[in-house]
Structures are given as C-alpha cells and as structure tokens.
Amino acid sequence: AQSVTQLDSQVPVFEEAPVELRCNYSSSVSVYLFWYVQYPNQGLQLLLKYLSGSTLVKGINGFEAEFNKSQTSFHLRKPSVHISDTAEYFCAVSPNTGGFKTIFGAGTRLFVKA
Amino acid sequence: EAGVAQSPRYKIIEKRQSVAFWCNPISGHATLYWYQQILGQGPKLLIQFQNNGVVDDSQLPKDRFSAERLKGVDSTLKIQPAKLEDSAVYLCASSNRRRGSEEKLFFGSGTQLSVL
C-alpha cells in the first residue's frame, strides 16, 4: 500500500520569493511520483512527474521537483513565484508494477501575496 | 482532444435524497476513476474501472454508493440515500496507461455536491 503526506496545509509567500512545497511518501513497491495543481474553480492538471532517471524533474510554469529515494521525498520548488501560482498543489504516487492506482496527498494551498 | 466531461456541475439536495453523477472519459481511455474530494482534503479514490470491470472499490461506501460503466465508456456514480458528510466535489478521471508505462490522469471539472 502507498501513502502520501504533504507536510504543510498552507504556504503563504510574497510574490517573487522562492517556495518549496514538501511531500513525503511511503510504499512497499517502487512508485511513480506526480505533482498536480488545481487552480481556483478549475479541475486538477498535471504539473510534473518523476518516472525514472534524473532525480530533478522540471514541469510547467517554472516548477521543478527533486526525488530523494533515501528520504522518500518529492518536494516541489519554484525560485520565484507569481500571483498566478496561487492554487492548491497535490502530491501523488502510483505503483509502477500493476494496480495503476494513484493516491493523493491532502494538498498544500499556496497563497502568493503582492 | 476533448477532455473528461462531467455533469452536472453543481447539485444541491436534501439528506436522504438520491443523486447521480455522469462522466464521459477521453475517447480510448480504458481506465476510469471516481474520486471524492472533501473541502480541504486531497482526492480520495472511490472506485477504479478498467474497461467495464471494477479493479478497486475498497473505499466505496457500498451501502449507499454505487457506480457502473456498462459499455466501458461512460460511467455513472450514484448516492442513495445521501448524508450530510457526502458533501464534496466528485471528480472523474481517465487514463490510457498501458503496462510498463506511467499513468497520466486527466480530470474532469468535477461535480460539487451539497447535501443540506
């Protein structure tokens, strides 16, 4: 079984400041890792994903995430945020051997202030 | 390509009433999911279909929730009777994952259910 823990429920940050949204997971099998974003009044959309290879993955809108196997983490970062980045961010895991089930964390609300 | 379609967008009912949600996945996507997203929480998987068969319904409250995907395309999720704690956004997602590749979920806009 897999589980996902997002360590911060809310992250307020000023515009143009850097941000890190933390995600830890547990799993008895190897997993794929994802970050999804949900803008206000919109559906979930994929931000980035880690499948294999380089542990640093880049996504849309300047976001990147780093997979750390020893710490079972997949933190999301952006060096300079914009007001438009205000949204709910969800970390998710999916086993890479059958099952196909994607499990989500509780979400982190990023609030960018002017 | 067309996205995942869900209807209705909003639904308000009284407790003990029945309600049904509809989902049309992206054409060709074999896997379909229903998630429940309660305010302030992440999406919780209710049921997963592979074509018209159920893969996982372990977290579906089967005493009141039911879902079907008869022809392996559209799906309906029903709640009967509804309780106050069923107030949530119900998300439908589909994917075309094949064994050995990663899964990318495509989500619909969801149906926001308010039970009064």
Side-chain angles (χ1 to χ4, degrees), chain A residues 34 49 51 100-102, chain B residues 33 35 37 56 97 102-103:
Chain A
F34 307 84
K49 60 188 177 186
L51 308 178
F100 297 4
K101 188 165 62 178
T102 301
Chain B
Y33 302 86
Y35 285 88
Q37 187 178 14
D56 184 349
R97 179 177 177 177
E102 85 285 3
E103 176 168 59

Side-chain angles (χ1 to χ4, degrees), chain A residues 1-66:
Chain A
Q2 296 81 40
S3 67
V4 180
T5 302
Q6 292 185 242
L7 298 162
D8 307 292
S9 60
Q10 294 186 67
V11 174
V13 63
F14 284 104
E15 193 173 21
E16 298 183 7
V19 70
E20 179 180 81
L21 306 183
R22 297 180 293 169
C23 172
N24 286 91
Y25 71 94
S26 67
S27 177
S28 56
V29 300
S30 296
V31 295
Y32 298 130
L33 296 155
F34 307 84
W35 276 97
Y36 284 82
V37 59
Q38 188 173 32
Y39 297 104
N41 300 314
Q42 295 186 28
L44 283 155
Q45 56 183 286
L46 183 66
L47 195 60
L48 52 77
K49 60 188 177 186
Y50 171 78
L51 308 178
S52 64
S54 173
T55 57
L56 183 65
V57 293
K58 296 186 183 298
I60 60 173
N61 301 337
F63 283 92
E64 62 182 31
E66 185 160 18

Side-chain angles (χ1 to χ4, degrees), chain B residues 19-87:
Chain B
V19 65
F21 312 128
W22 174 81
C23 173
N24 185 11
I26 292 174
S27 178
H29 280 195
T31 308
L32 184 148
Y33 302 86
W34 282 102
Y35 285 88
Q36 179 193 57
Q37 187 178 14
I38 293 173
L39 186 66
Q41 300 181 19
K44 169 191 164 185
L45 179 66
L46 291 177
I47 189 167
Q48 175 188 357
F49 291 96
Q50 184 72 15
N51 297 307
N52 62 348
V54 176
V55 175
D56 184 349
D57 63 357
S58 56
Q59 296 196 80
L60 187 74
K62 298 181 187 63
D63 58 333
R64 298 183 300 107
F65 285 66
S66 64
E68 60 183 14
R69 194 185 183 200
L70 292 175
K71 296 183 179 179
V73 181
D74 293 7
S75 177
T76 55
L77 176 69
K78 297 179 182 178
I79 308 175
Q80 180 179 10
K83 293 184 175 182
L84 296 177
E85 59 261 36
D86 298 332
S87 294

Side-chain angles (χ1 to χ4, degrees), chain A residues 45-113:
Chain A
Q45 56 183 286
L46 183 66
L47 195 60
L48 52 77
K49 60 188 177 186
Y50 171 78
L51 308 178
S52 64
S54 173
T55 57
L56 183 65
V57 293
K58 296 186 183 298
I60 60 173
N61 301 337
F63 283 92
E64 62 182 31
E66 185 160 18
F67 169 58
N68 188 318
K69 188 174 182 179
S70 62
Q71 298 185 6
T72 60
S73 68
F74 190 55
H75 301 333
L76 181 70
R77 302 186 184 99
K78 186 170 183 178
S80 176
V81 294
H82 302 290
I83 297 286
S84 59
D85 293 324
T86 294
E88 188 93 20
Y89 292 80
F90 295 94
C91 183
V93 300
S94 175
N96 65 9
T97 54
F100 297 4
K101 188 165 62 178
T102 301
I103 303 297
F104 287 82
T108 297
R109 179 165 297 277
L110 175 63
F111 180 59
V112 182
K113 301 177 285 185

Side-chain angles (χ1 to χ4, degrees), chain B residues 84-103:
Chain B
L84 296 177
E85 59 261 36
D86 298 332
S87 294
V89 176
Y90 290 85
L91 296 167
C92 179
S94 70
S95 81
N96 61 347
R97 179 177 177 177
R98 298 170 182 80
R99 192 169 295 280
S101 68
E102 85 285 3
E103 176 168 59

